[in-house]
Amino acid sequence: MSAEEIIEINHLTNRYNQAADSGNGKAFAETFTEDGILEMPGSDPIVGRSALEVSGDSFPQLIKGVRHWINNQVVEINGNSATASCYLLLMSAGSPPNMMTTGRYSDELIKTDQGWKFTKRSVSLDS
């Protein structure tokens, strides 16, 4: 496990968050493998890049001014696969900002020719 690989996975997570917040479905979907899965509470899993792109395009319409804040990411790499987890703070931007919820991401990743990608990303919210 190298520091460079950890940084690459952290950057992937950051690209996911900014793509979701801006409604860039193509960039959002490209953080996943072709058959990648996103699991969110209260909905069926979103499977495959086409469905992920639609989801990524629509996210800002669900929460006006949405902002994903993550921290305390822990990455474990085993060859060309990895797991990661981090805390999530979901906010709506404004003055003052509105804290919506907190939770956690649990990730499964694989190293591809295009770099690290999520194979599965699961969101759990704190109650």
Side-chain angles (χ1 to χ4, degrees):
M1 177 165 61
S2 72
E4 181 177 295
E5 288 179 306
I6 293 170
I7 291 169
E8 288 175 20
I9 290 171
N10 181 261
H11 186 65
L12 176 74
T13 303
N14 294 338
R15 288 195 334 263
Y16 166 98
N17 290 334
Q18 289 198 11
D21 292 348
S22 67
N24 186 339
K26 183 173 174 26
F28 179 83
E30 287 176 353
T31 64
F32 289 85
T33 57
E34 288 291 335
D35 57 350
I37 301 167
L38 175 60
E39 296 179 330
M40 294 188 298
S43 65
D44 292 334
I46 302 166
V47 181
R49 280 206 182 143
S50 295
L52 288 160
E53 185 170 343
V54 170
S55 179
D57 281 338
S58 66
F59 202 75
Q61 286 76 41
L62 300 174
I63 304 171
K64 186 178 177 187
V66 66
R67 296 290 184 269
H68 288 78
W69 294 91
I70 59 144
N71 64 10
N72 297 334
Q73 187 175 46
V74 175
V75 176
E76 299 293 335
I77 298 173
N78 185 7
N80 286 333
S81 64
T83 58
S85 64
C86 60
Y87 295 131
L88 164 68
L89 170 60
L90 191 64
M91 300 180 69
S92 176
S95 183
N98 180 30
M99 186 172 78
M100 312 277 302
T101 192
T102 61
R104 178 185 178 111
Y105 283 110
S106 297
D107 303 321
E108 297 174 17
L109 305 102
I110 192 164
K111 190 170 189 177
T112 71
D113 291 340
Q114 295 79 40
W116 287 97
K117 303 284 183 185
F118 297 113
T119 58
K120 184 177 180 184
R121 182 153 236 227
S122 300
V123 181
S124 60
L125 300 179
D126 297 325
S127 12

